[in-house]
Amino acid sequence: MEENLNIPDHVALILDGNGRWAKKRGLPRQMGHKKGCETLEQTVEDAARLGIRYLTVYGFSTENWKRPEEEVGALMGLFKQYLKDALEDLLNDDIKIRFLGDTSMFSADLQELIAETIETGKTRTGMVLNLAMNYGSRAEITRAAQNLAEQVKNGALQPSEITEQMLSDHMYTYGEPDPDLIIRPSGEYRLSNFLLWQSAYSELIFMDVLWPDFTTEDLEHCLDEYAMRNRRFGGV
């Protein structure tokens, strides 16, 4: 990795390929998710070390509930264990965790763990780790529109007064910069309902590597490529 790079403030990751990674090795899909969780732990450490201020990871979408019950249960178990470990391990790194998505769909004990994680992170000042869980971008945009519509209904706001910034302020990522870079491993070339509003001017990198095989070197390669991009934001 080159020195003195233009490090993006906000990087987003679509964690994809766990199931295929396991299938290639004749393992249950749950083993792929477990390995993917280990990869995430390393990537979070790498991102903080490299100076990334915000890291958003797409861990569980609103559509993932359609997967087999056994697999969903395994994912929830891994999520719980990750948060339990994070409450202790990430304290040393001063990393703050936020949650993007409708967490009310999770079990009561998982919701309690989420609340504890949020409370513990209030005083942390290091990198922000956004965990997109039960997240869907269309649902997020709909939620923002409904909130503003309620204000119009109550007479607190006129339709003509609604701005792009107001919509941004009602997204789960309010108060944060939009992602500079979105990385999707696994060989798929789509955003899959992820940060559709926030990604208007994000740089995109798609990689053939499956998520469990994603390495420190892969992240550094993406940052090298990002540094060579010319971001014009519609200008010249």
Side-chain angles (χ1 to χ4, degrees):
M1 180 175 173
E2 297 181 10
E3 295 182 1
N4 301 319
L5 280 183
N6 176 26
I7 299 295
D9 280 340
H10 189 169
V11 174
L13 289 163
I14 299 175
L15 312 185
D16 191 24
N18 294 339
R20 278 170 284 167
W21 182 92
K23 184 178 180 180
K24 285 175 61 176
R25 291 159 176 78
L27 299 171
R29 288 177 61 88
Q30 292 90 322
M31 294 302 295
H33 294 309
K34 184 175 186 298
K35 182 63 168 66
C37 197
E38 294 171 1
T39 300
L40 175 59
E41 291 174 357
Q42 181 61 55
T43 303
V44 170
E45 291 181 11
D46 292 336
R49 172 180 55 82
L50 291 167
I52 293 168
R53 294 175 54 218
Y54 300 89
L55 180 68
T56 299
V57 297
Y58 200 11
F60 190 86
S61 75
T62 50
E63 291 78 23
N64 286 157
W65 294 107
K66 301 174 186 176
R67 295 187 176 186
E69 185 177 347
E70 182 181 3
E71 182 176 352
V72 171
L75 283 167
M76 293 300 106
L78 284 171
F79 187 26
K80 288 179 187 177
Q81 190 57 54
Y82 183 84
L83 292 184
K84 289 177 181 177
D85 293 342
L87 283 170
E88 181 177 350
D89 297 341
L90 297 186
L91 180 62
N92 299 326
D93 298 320
D94 201 27
I95 293 174
K96 179 177 183 176
I97 296 180
R98 290 182 64 181
F99 296 88
L100 316 184
D102 181 8
T103 58
S104 68
M105 293 286 290
F106 296 132
S107 63
D109 59 335
L110 183 49
Q111 289 187 55
E112 289 177 7
L113 192 54
I114 289 171
E116 183 182 354
T117 304
I118 293 172
E119 183 64 30
T120 302
K122 284 184 176 180
T123 58
R124 297 182 183 178
T125 58
M127 186 183 78
V128 175
L129 172 61
N130 294 315
L131 296 178
M133 303 296 298
N134 194 30
Y135 172 87
S137 189
R138 287 184 173 183
E140 177 186 31
I141 294 170
T142 300
R143 171 179 168 272
Q146 290 171 339
N147 287 337
L148 290 173
E150 191 66 28
Q151 293 183 42
V152 172
K153 178 182 176 181
N154 294 335
L157 184 68
Q158 293 298 315
S160 60
E161 295 174 333
I162 296 174
T163 64
E164 290 184 8
Q165 186 59 53
M166 286 181 183
L167 276 165
S168 293
D169 289 343
H170 283 81
M171 299 294 163
Y172 288 117
T173 53
Y174 66 91
E176 300 182 4
D178 290 338
D180 302 292
L181 173 64
I182 297 178
I183 303 169
R184 179 166 191 164
S186 84
E188 303 291 352
Y189 294 84
R190 56 180 178 270
L191 290 178
S192 296
N193 200 19
F194 182 52
L195 300 179
L196 300 180
W197 176 268
Q198 297 91 333
S199 65
Y201 285 102
S202 301
E203 296 296 319
L204 307 178
I205 294 180
F206 299 99
M207 307 178 72
D208 287 332
V209 61
L210 299 175
W211 171 248
D213 290 326
F214 190 85
T215 64
T216 300
E217 290 72 25
D218 288 322
L219 177 60
E220 291 177 345
H221 170 77
C222 290
L223 297 183
D224 284 336
E225 182 172 335
Y226 170 83
M228 294 186 291
R229 302 276 181 95
N230 180 19
R231 305 184 73 200
R232 296 184 296 277
F233 298 96
V236 294

